Amino acid sequence: MTGSMFETIVALPLFRGISEKQLMQVLEQCKIRFESAKAGRVILNAGEQCTHLTFVVSGIVRATTTTTDGRLSLSQSVKGPDVLYPDFLFGLSTARPAVVRSMSEVVMLHVAKSDLIKVLTTNDVVLFNYLNILSSNAQRGYRDVFNGSGGDISRRLATRICALTKPNSFDIVLEINTNVATEFDTSIEAFNNAFNSLVEQKAVSGTPNRIVVKNRAALAALL
């Protein structure tokens, strides 16, 4: 294995901390498939079954999650190296929650679920990394929802955004295709006041129905 190939793979969250010898053993157990895509291609579809763990090795992708009734739509961009929705490979629901498009030339790496199971049962480093990924996602979502569930509208808005985005996401946009007062169980005046306060803090911009996140960390700090 070339040095550049080893460095590329160990930069991915699942393989961090693994030695070259261990990686060679992993590659003997499972098939790792690389794929490239030009800008503008749909690389994952919302609702399709998650049968592979997919990583963005390089490039930028944009993921959009939309409620089934179209009320809310949240988009975020992610830059490689990163992993896409690892929480949906196992569990009761394995349907992908978002449509993901390439925003630049992208290189991806896919690991089949059956192959991943083999590796998880034989390599402690990969197992530890995968459990860490799942635990971090679950704990972040719990913390965001629990801490932001009070009456403050700014915190409730921050909860919606932070619970559905990654800490390193950028170009985040939340579109509210319904009455914002109804959606957040408040008055139009109260919602607009909360939105304008976040604008003044330079946390968001846009309009109450199309909220552009300028500083996700500032929203997370509210929780």
Side-chain angles (χ1 to χ4, degrees):
M1 177 181 295
T2 64
S4 59
M5 177 65 73
F6 174 71
E7 291 168 4
T8 296
I9 295 177
V10 298
L12 300 173
L14 188 66
F15 300 106
R16 284 174 187 160
I18 199 170
S19 68
E20 186 168 358
K21 180 180 179 181
Q22 288 176 314
L23 183 57
M24 292 300 295
Q25 293 171 342
V26 167
L27 294 179
E28 290 175 359
Q29 292 178 291
C30 71
K31 297 177 181 178
I32 291 180
R33 180 171 62 89
F34 283 93
E35 180 184 7
S36 60
K38 294 183 178 180
R41 178 183 151 192
V42 174
I43 57 178
L44 296 177
N45 274 301
E48 69 181 5
Q49 291 301 302
C50 183
T51 59
H52 291 70
L53 194 59
T54 297
F55 299 87
V56 179
V57 178
S58 62
I60 297 172
V61 300
R62 188 156 184 80
T64 301
T65 303
T66 305
T67 57
T68 53
D69 57 5
R71 289 179 4 261
L72 301 174
S73 179
L74 187 139
S75 299
Q76 59 185 311
S77 293
V78 176
K79 183 179 181 180
D82 211 329
V83 60
L84 299 175
Y85 302 104
D87 343 47
F88 289 85
L89 191 61
F90 299 97
L92 293 176
S93 175
T94 56
R96 299 191 191 276
V99 57
V100 181
R101 294 178 174 84
S102 53
M103 302 302 290
S104 66
E105 187 169 346
V106 170
V107 175
M108 295 166 289
L109 181 149
H110 306 282
V111 181
K113 181 176 181 176
S114 56
D115 285 334
L116 178 63
I117 292 173
K118 295 177 187 176
V119 176
L120 293 176
T121 57
T122 58
N123 189 287
D124 289 342
V125 176
V126 176
L127 174 62
F128 181 80
N129 285 341
Y130 190 64
L131 291 177
N132 255 352
I133 292 169
L134 297 183
S135 297
S136 296
N137 288 351
Q139 291 166 9
R140 186 176 67 248
Y142 176 84
R143 182 195 67 236
D144 291 346
V145 172
F146 184 79
N147 291 340
S149 60
D152 184 89
I153 300 168
S154 296
R155 292 179 64 191
R156 283 155 54 191
L157 182 56
T159 296
R160 293 281 183 103
I161 293 169
C162 291
L164 293 173
T165 58
K166 299 164 75 74
N168 57 337
S169 296
F170 58 99
D171 291 342
I172 300 168
V173 177
L174 173 64
E175 295 186 62
I176 306 172
N177 303 311
T178 186
N179 185 290
V180 293
T182 302
E183 183 65 35
F184 285 85
D185 192 24
T186 186
S187 67
I188 288 288
E189 181 182 7
F191 186 89
N192 286 343
N193 287 340
F195 173 76
N196 290 334
S197 175
L198 292 175
V199 171
E200 290 174 4
Q201 297 173 50
K202 301 187 185 305
V204 304
S205 63
T207 68
N209 285 93
R210 189 178 187 277
I211 300 170
V212 179
V213 177
K214 308 299 290 185
N215 187 341
R216 186 188 181 280
L219 295 179
L222 297 175
L223 305 177

